[in-house]
Structure formats: structure tokens, C-alpha cells
Amino acid sequence: MSRHLRRPLAAALAATLAATALLIGPVAPAYAHNVLRKATPAQDAKLKKAPTRITLEFLQKLNPSFTTITLSDADKQQVATGEPEVSGTKGTVTVEPPLANGVYTVAYRVVSTDGHPVQGSYKFTVADPTATAEPSPSPAASEPTETAATPSAEPTPSAAAASPAASSSSGGPGTAALLAGGGIVLALVAAAAVLLLRRRNAVGGGPAR
């Protein structure tokens, strides 16, 4: 091959390499930033069971010192989670309280290899068909019931034992009968004495002096 042919081929090859470099050059910096590759639970997922862990997987390795993953409910109140556990390109947090039905937002902030921070968020929904509200306490369980004491028809042994003493000390029917009988005996004795005295007077011929 002559020198005249080599020079045009070398020039064409150089031009091709330069054009390729111009095309690739602007695109390369875009891939330096980290990007969320996969999430569990996934974005816009509707779960029938509340998750206990949230795992985010990125294209590049994460720096544990600059990895933040948070969870908040529909009222934008932050839900308690554990510290992020970083393993390579994955970051995981454990959800401490059981999640009720509703919409939740996962927010993250990580640092890419070039030191550029990357952040974002997405939502998922918990719709557990078996979840029920806590039962309200029934009145019978919350308020003590008062049981009315029914009076006993039969006297207790203590009351029965106290009855004779009470009747004797207060002059019951037995005492009244004894008093009445003693009065009758005294009246009969007095009447007999009067009759006997009259007979003696009659026999002696007049009233005694």
C-alpha cells in the first residue's frame, strides 16, 4: 500500500475516534451519580401484609456514614425504624411498630462515588384485609357490677342465740306469766285469811278487842 493511501485511512480513523469520543464524553458523567435500582416494598405497591423491613438497592456501593432511609405515614409523621444496615449496594432498615393500613412514604439520601448526594422518595400502601380495629371494652367488663344482698329468711345462729337473752332481760312473756301467777296466789292467801278471821269473830261472840 502506498503512502498516499495510508494517509487518508489514518486521517479517517482519527476522525472516527474523535467523533466517538465526542459522543461518549457528555454521557459518561451522567452515570457517575448513584441511582436507585430496586426497592422492597416496591414503588406504588399495595401490600396485603405490613412489611417489617425496607430494602433499597442502588447501582453503586453505599457509604454507611452517609446513608439515610426514613419512613413516614399519611399524616407525614415519621415511623420509628432501626438504623440503616448497609451491605454493598443495599441499605436496609427494620420497621419497629406494626404498620396499620394506609399509605406510607419511603425517603432516602445516599452519596455516590463522586461524592454527589442523591435523594428521592416513593410511596406504597398497606391494605391488610384481616386487620381489624381494637375491640372497645364492654360496659360489663369496664364497670364493676354491684350485687344487691338478699336478706336471709332464716335467722343466723348468732341471732338465734341472742334471742333468749334479749327476751329474759327485757321481761318477755315468760316473766309476765310468773308475775301474774304470783299475784293470784297472794290474792287467794289474803282471801283465806279474811275468811278465817271472820269465823273466829263469829265463834267468839263479837269483834275482837
Side-chain angles (χ1 to χ4, degrees), residues 16-153:
T16 303
L17 292 175
T20 304
L22 290 175
L23 292 174
I24 297 176
V27 178
Y31 286 98
H33 301 327
N34 213 345
V35 178
L36 179 63
R37 177 175 174 272
K38 183 181 178 181
T40 306
Q43 182 176 358
D44 299 326
K46 291 185 177 180
L47 309 176
K48 293 183 179 181
K49 185 177 181 180
T52 57
R53 295 167 65 89
I54 297 174
T55 301
L56 305 181
E57 183 177 354
F58 294 84
L59 289 178
Q60 300 176 8
K61 290 184 178 181
L62 301 178
N63 186 339
S65 302
F66 300 98
T67 299
T68 303
I69 303 173
T70 60
L71 179 66
S72 56
D73 59 18
D75 297 329
K76 298 182 179 180
Q77 298 296 322
Q78 189 167 340
V79 179
T81 59
E83 292 294 327
E85 299 175 3
V86 177
S87 175
T89 60
K90 294 181 180 181
T92 303
V93 292
T94 56
V95 183
E96 295 179 357
L99 297 181
N101 288 349
V103 180
Y104 294 89
T105 301
V106 178
Y108 59 87
R109 180 182 173 87
V110 298
V111 175
S112 58
T113 349
D114 62 353
H116 184 80
V118 176
Q119 60 185 6
S121 63
Y122 71 92
K123 295 182 178 181
F124 68 88
T125 304
V126 177
D128 187 353
T130 63
T132 55
E134 295 183 1
S136 57
S138 59
S142 60
E143 298 179 2
T145 56
E146 296 183 0
T147 310
T150 41
S152 177

